């Protein structure tokens, strides 16, 4: 979760005369990431969906218009979509064709997919994870309080 939906950076970068110049002097990231959120079931893609495939405008969030200026060398997006078989994660990549070719982008996409698969598999192992304050939205807890409760009341 990004505090204030990320608005703080924009305020500090563009409206604060003290922090704006410092943030402007930092290197520009080459990869931009946008988590679009979780969506209810929408239209189901026709045909078999592969683990990695070109999505075009069928991807959650659509595609980037070719005439828009590029903000990053690689734009990565992710969305969770609730489907009849359970939630699925859709990953999208967009890049200028003169900066990356399709095979390079596919290699990056497959690597990202493998990393996320490994991370998801890790969460199913005994002892992985634990609760965080977001697991208890009706209580005002910090992580230290959650950890203390888990230590005092296991399970």
């Amino acid at each position: 979760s990004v505090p204030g939906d990320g608005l703080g950076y924009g305020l500090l970068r563009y409206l604060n005369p003290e922090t704006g110049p410092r943030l402007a002097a930092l290197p520009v990231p080459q990869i931009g990431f946008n988590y679009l959120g979780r969506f209810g079931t929408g239209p189901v893609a026709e045909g078999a969906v592969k683990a990695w495939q070109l999505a075009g405008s069928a991807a959650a969030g659509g595609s980037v218009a070719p005439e828009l200026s590029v903000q990053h060398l690689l734009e990565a997006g992710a969305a969770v979509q609730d489907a009849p078989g359970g939630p699925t994660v859709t990953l999208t990549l967009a890049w200028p064709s003169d900066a990356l070719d399709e095979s390079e982008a596919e290699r990056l996409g497959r690597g990202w997919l493998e990393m996320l698969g490994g991370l998801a598999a890790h969460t199913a192992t005994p002892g992985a994870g634990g609760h965080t304050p977001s697991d208890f939205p009706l209580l005002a807890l910090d992580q230290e309080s959650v950890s203390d409760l888990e230590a005092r009341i296991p399970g």
Side-chain angles (χ1 to χ4, degrees):
S1 173
V2 176
D5 295 326
L7 293 176
Y9 175 80
L11 294 172
L12 291 172
R13 167 65 178 88
Y14 298 105
L15 298 178
N16 186 312
E18 183 180 329
T19 57
R22 284 193 251 163
L23 290 172
L26 294 173
V28 177
Q30 292 187 6
I31 298 175
F33 179 80
N34 187 12
Y35 173 64
L36 298 170
R38 189 168 185 159
F39 299 90
T41 303
V44 178
E46 292 186 28
V49 176
K50 301 173 193 166
W52 177 260
Q53 66 187 33
L54 292 176
S57 61
S63 59
V64 178
E67 65 273 6
L68 288 179
S69 63
V70 176
Q71 299 297 313
H72 302 95
L73 176 65
L74 183 68
E75 292 285 347
V80 174
Q81 188 169 17
D82 292 324
T88 61
V89 176
T90 299
L91 308 174
T92 59
L93 297 177
W95 63 93
S97 59
D98 59 343
L100 291 174
D101 66 29
E102 193 173 312
S103 65
E104 291 171 311
E106 183 171 337
R107 183 181 56 78
L108 289 168
R110 285 186 186 278
W112 188 21
L113 187 64
E114 288 171 17
M115 184 273 312
L116 288 175
L119 184 60
H122 171 72
T123 65
T125 60
H131 291 98
T132 66
S134 65
D135 293 319
F136 308 99
L138 299 178
L139 301 172
L141 298 174
D142 59 16
Q143 186 59 50
E144 185 177 342
S145 300
V146 172
S147 298
D148 183 49
L149 284 170
E150 286 185 315
R152 286 193 283 146
I153 310 167

